[in-house]
Amino acid sequence: MIMFFALCLVAKAQLRTDFYQATCPDLLKIVRREVQSAIKTEMRMAASLLRLHFHDCFVNGCDASLLLDVTDSEKAALPNLNSARGFEVVDRIKSSVESACSGVVSCADILAIAARDSVVLSGGTSWKVLLGRRDGLVANQTGANNGLPSPFETLDVIISKFATVGLDVKDVVSLSGGHTIGLAKCSTFSNRLFNFSETGSPDSTMNQSMLTDLQNLCPLNSDGSNTAPFDRNSADLFDNHYFQNLINGKGLLGSDQILFSSDAAVTTNTKSLVLSYSSNSRLFLSDFADSMVKMGNISPLTGSAGEIRKNCRLVNS
């Protein structure tokens, strides 16, 4: 683990906010314009782009391996299949960036900037994005299947998956706050609605009126493709309302609600963090930004490692 943190420190030293200042001076403007256009078309896209960066960084580090259309594609891994979205938006951003400065900017950096812009354009906080990542040459479907946190896992397992990539309990809670925007399919939370953990009853930690609404949205015989907002009554605004919902039993995923309601929430300190963030928006937004920078520093390829892909979906020939 010490070696891992040493590598992170080296990476952090190599990533810089002004990495493209001379080689692609309009980069941030170009990405912002494209993200703005995508969100204008579909508000949900903000959450989708934020999630792409998260799902990329947890597997092989922040190297845009998630974007590759290859045999071992991470897109086909269970946490991403028919779920990860926004790839066409990334293609459009990349195309615009290539028109301005060809062969200079990595797809991994585009994901990092697009994630930040998605938060800002949804009403959240901004942060300076460290840049200089290069693109990976391989995807890792097994890594995506095993390394990405699942909505069905216990809090201890989720915390341990974050720890594997150098993130701590505060990062678990603040980054879960990314669920203040976006939608989830019934298939990711319907296990809570009828026969939770083989009890024959719904999850007792779920608010009763929300439970009734979700049972109607996701009946037992449905295909699980209907969607519900992560943050009930504040679906599109990046704020601390998600944490207020957890206190009221209105977390959508099991992995959301256990941050407050599980026994482990007390022993691991996630419950007290939820309480802090629910009453202090500024603290949440500040911690979220710090955690995003930290996550963006997970094992990036720098220097001459990897490549700058011409097309985000393919390694250069």
Side-chain angles (χ1 to χ4, degrees), residues 15-35:
L15 299 181
R16 325 190 305 266
T17 57
D18 63 352
F19 189 84
Y20 297 107
Q21 195 171 322
T23 53
C24 196
D26 289 333
L27 170 64
L28 297 180
K29 283 183 198 158
I30 295 166
V31 177
R32 177 66 62 96
R33 187 180 65 232
E34 292 293 344
V35 173

Side-chain angles (χ1 to χ4, degrees), residues 184-255:
K185 288 185 177 177
C186 291
S187 55
T188 60
F189 58 83
S190 57
N191 65 308
R192 304 181 65 205
L193 304 182
F194 299 100
N195 182 20
F196 182 59
S197 299
E198 306 299 318
T199 58
S201 307
D203 185 341
S204 61
T205 64
M206 187 180 284
N207 170 277
Q208 189 57 50
S209 67
M210 178 165 159
L211 174 65
T212 305
D213 288 348
L214 293 178
Q215 286 175 332
N216 290 330
L217 179 74
C218 316
L220 273 170
N221 58 354
S222 74
D223 65 3
S225 64
N226 284 347
T227 57
F230 278 114
D231 189 3
R232 189 174 167 92
N233 300 325
S234 178
D236 296 324
L237 188 62
F238 202 99
D239 57 12
N240 66 334
H241 188 265
Y242 162 86
F243 297 104
Q244 295 165 12
N245 269 347
L246 296 187
I247 292 167
N248 294 309
K250 294 179 182 176
L252 185 64
L253 305 182
S255 53

Side-chain angles (χ1 to χ4, degrees), residues 67 86-96 311-313:
L67 305 178
F87 299 111
E88 297 78 12
V89 175
V90 176
D91 290 339
R92 283 201 294 277
I93 299 170
K94 176 65 169 171
S95 173
S96 294
N311 174 343
C312 290
R313 295 172 181 263

